[in-house]
Amino acid sequence: MLSSSQSPALVPCQVDMRGILCSSTDVAAADKLKEANIDTAEKLMGNFMVMGRSEEKMAKWLEDVCEVRSVEAKKISAALVEKGDKICSM
């Protein structure tokens, strides 16, 4: 949600990914995620789990399918690994 002091260009993402996406992720990447039917953090995590919790596979998928920049894809994948490890250790 935008505050009165924010412009649309400063919005980190149109998709509510609850902190998983980096703040510098551009709107085009969010749109690509929506096209891939990933519109929630849960779906992103589920996709990561289906990929066998592979940081490399997830980063590659984010780069290829969602056109996320390499550095951001690696950060997102690392965050998913961390969250996945917490989920799977319960």
Side-chain angles (χ1 to χ4, degrees):
M1 189 173 278
L2 291 176
S3 71
S4 60
S5 64
Q6 288 181 313
S7 69
L10 298 177
V11 177
C13 184
Q14 291 179 341
V15 180
D16 177 20
M17 298 309 255
R18 298 185 188 147
I20 290 179
L21 290 179
C22 303
S23 61
S24 60
T25 300
D26 60 359
V27 174
D31 290 341
K32 290 290 184 179
L33 283 169
K34 282 184 181 180
E35 288 174 18
N37 197 31
I38 307 292
D39 57 1
T40 65
E42 291 84 0
K43 287 182 180 179
L44 186 64
M45 178 58 79
N47 197 43
F48 172 69
M49 294 294 196
V50 168
M51 291 183 184
R53 295 175 48 206
S54 169
E55 188 172 351
E56 294 80 21
K57 285 182 185 178
M58 188 64 182
K60 180 87 170 118
W61 181 83
L62 287 166
E63 289 174 41
D64 294 345
V65 174
C66 301
E67 299 177 5
V68 173
R69 285 172 248 141
S70 177
V71 171
E72 292 175 341
K74 289 175 184 174
K75 287 179 183 179
I76 294 166
S77 297
L80 289 167
V81 166
E82 182 181 330
K83 291 180 187 307
D85 287 347
K86 288 179 183 177
I87 291 169
C88 292
S89 67
M90 294 179 146

